[in-house]
Amino acid sequence: MKLAGLSNAVPGTSPLHEERLDSVYKRIRQSGARRVLDLGCGSGSLLVRLINDPQFSHIVGLESSGVGLAVARNMFADSLSSGRLRLVAGSYAEPHPALTGFDMAAMVETIEHVKPNDLSRVEQAVFGQMRPHRLIMTTPNREYNPLLGLASGEFREPDHKFEWDRQKFMQWSRGVAARNGYAVSFAGIGEADPELGAPTQTATFSLPA
């Protein structure tokens, strides 16, 4: 049952982003997770879907943007007061001992906002210290950008610090998985081109059962 006043659709988001959020939500739900961590939750686009599903008993959103957190706190006031949802100000490149051992974590279109020099800190904090049992990550597939009308070297958003092609994303993800004891699998979201792949690429990291 949906909470009063909360719709899954977020004003101003693109159809691809809505498809992405729906896909990530469904994968989290299918995992059987009850305790979920949204790393880089923004103003709550994924949190809306999680809160509207009673499967999830404990939901935490971590966000470094004060503006995004303010929007989320206003939108989710009832859930915050019930204790089912917690919003935490901070970066997932920093240690958060209280956020360890969640059933599932999500990083939706956020890793590409990290400076490349900080990726090792993200790996250490998320996979080395927080260690969710599973984590799903989405990021743009750079190879698909020409089909979106972007010029060579142009990013999908001005704040992106990089955008990986499929080979680079798989290389980085496999390295992270191997160094931290995870298995990793790959997929895509959105209509895939036979040569260029899907517009969004995903990696799902899993600890051994």
Side-chain angles (χ1 to χ4, degrees), residues 27-75:
R27 295 183 198 188
I28 294 174
R29 194 178 201 291
Q30 290 166 0
S31 76
R34 292 182 57 78
R35 302 175 70 249
V36 182
L37 179 60
D38 187 0
L39 299 171
C41 67
S43 58
S45 298
L46 179 60
L47 295 177
V48 171
R49 290 160 169 80
L50 300 176
I51 290 167
N52 280 332
D53 190 328
Q55 173 176 317
F56 307 112
S57 60
H58 185 48
I59 306 163
V60 175
L62 178 70
E63 176 56 46
S64 60
S65 166
V67 174
L69 278 178
V71 173
R73 286 195 177 106
N74 181 62
M75 182 164 57

Side-chain angles (χ1 to χ4, degrees), residues 121-191:
R121 295 173 57 220
V122 171
E123 176 183 342
Q124 183 177 13
V126 174
F127 297 94
Q129 185 253 326
M130 295 183 204
R131 295 190 69 75
H133 293 286
R134 285 189 178 184
L135 183 146
I136 182 168
M137 178 183 294
T138 80
T139 193
N141 169 19
R142 187 181 71 189
E143 297 165 79
Y144 196 92
N145 285 356
L147 299 182
L148 300 175
L150 298 179
S152 177
E154 184 180 2
F155 292 159
R156 295 188 195 179
E157 293 186 16
D159 189 54
H160 287 183
K161 304 301 186 289
F162 61 85
E163 291 180 359
W164 280 322
D165 60 30
R166 287 169 291 174
Q167 181 178 1
K168 178 63 177 178
F169 182 51
M170 288 190 289
Q171 179 184 14
W172 179 83
S173 299
R174 286 170 175 154
V176 167
R179 288 188 292 270
N180 294 280
Y182 283 80
V184 63
S185 60
F186 302 95
I189 298 172
E191 185 176 355

Side-chain angles (χ1 to χ4, degrees), residues 14 25 42-43 63 76 79 85 92 101 145 155 190 197 206:
S14 68
Y25 157 69
S43 58
E63 176 56 46
F76 302 125
S79 297
L85 170 68
Y92 54 69
N145 285 356
F155 292 159
S206 304

Side-chain angles (χ1 to χ4, degrees), residues 91-107:
S91 166
Y92 54 69
E94 302 292 342
H96 294 275
L99 302 183
T100 59
F102 276 67
D103 300 332
M104 188 83 176
M107 298 177 69

